[in-house]
Amino acid sequence: MVISGMTADPVFAALASPARRELLRLLLEEGAQPAGRLAERFDMSRPSVSEHLKVLRDAGLVAETRRGRERHYRLEAAPLMEVRDWLTPYERFWRERLTGLSALLDELEETDTTQESEENDG
């Protein structure tokens, strides 16, 4: 699969890390911010956080700008939208399966209720 001229593999690899998903969440909820502020939120070294930010940048999920000595990062959501589009058929697949399961459970519940009612009447 190709996302904006690149394969999706770097995007999926970037999303595989809980730390990188948390970085994306922080940027989504709190907006652009310097790397130092982001690093303060993690129980890991600043170089480790910087490496996670580099993976996100290389995957096109964040953009970096320099302001003096600081590097500021902001979320780039386009690759996430394309991943969402790729996942949509699978979401439909599971929704259909869950709807079928719900119908089956409703049917079983009706059968149990009918049997209990017949036992109580008899």
Side-chain angles (χ1 to χ4, degrees):
M1 173 183 181
V2 175
I3 295 180
S4 299
M6 66 175 83
T7 66
D9 292 344
V11 175
F12 282 109
L15 295 174
S17 165
R20 291 191 287 267
R21 291 193 305 269
E22 178 64 9
L23 284 164
L24 292 175
R25 185 192 67 76
L26 290 169
L27 293 172
L28 172 67
E29 293 178 0
E30 300 174 9
Q33 50 193 296
R37 188 181 318 148
L38 289 166
E40 291 170 358
R41 309 289 283 281
F42 291 87
D43 188 23
M44 66 177 80
S45 68
R46 279 182 104 156
S48 293
V49 173
S50 292
E51 184 60 31
H52 284 298
L53 288 165
K54 179 185 181 313
V55 171
L56 291 170
R57 189 186 71 233
D58 291 348
L61 293 166
V62 298
E64 174 189 289
T65 55
R66 290 180 185 246
R67 294 185 190 160
R69 294 179 49 188
E70 288 187 325
R71 294 174 189 236
H72 287 247
Y73 290 88
R74 72 175 185 281
L75 178 66
E76 292 290 331
L80 294 174
M81 292 171 50
E82 294 182 33
V83 168
R84 181 207 57 202
D85 292 344
W86 183 84
L87 288 170
T88 297
Y90 299 97
E91 180 184 357
R92 278 195 298 264
F93 170 84
W94 283 110
R95 189 177 299 127
E96 290 170 5
R97 296 305 181 273
L98 291 174
T99 298
L101 177 60
S102 178
L104 176 63
L105 292 173
D106 288 345
E107 185 179 310
L108 290 173
E109 186 176 327
E110 283 180 24
T111 302
D112 286 347
T113 303
T114 302
Q115 287 177 350
E116 287 176 10
S117 178
E118 290 174 356
E119 289 173 3
N120 289 336
D121 289 343

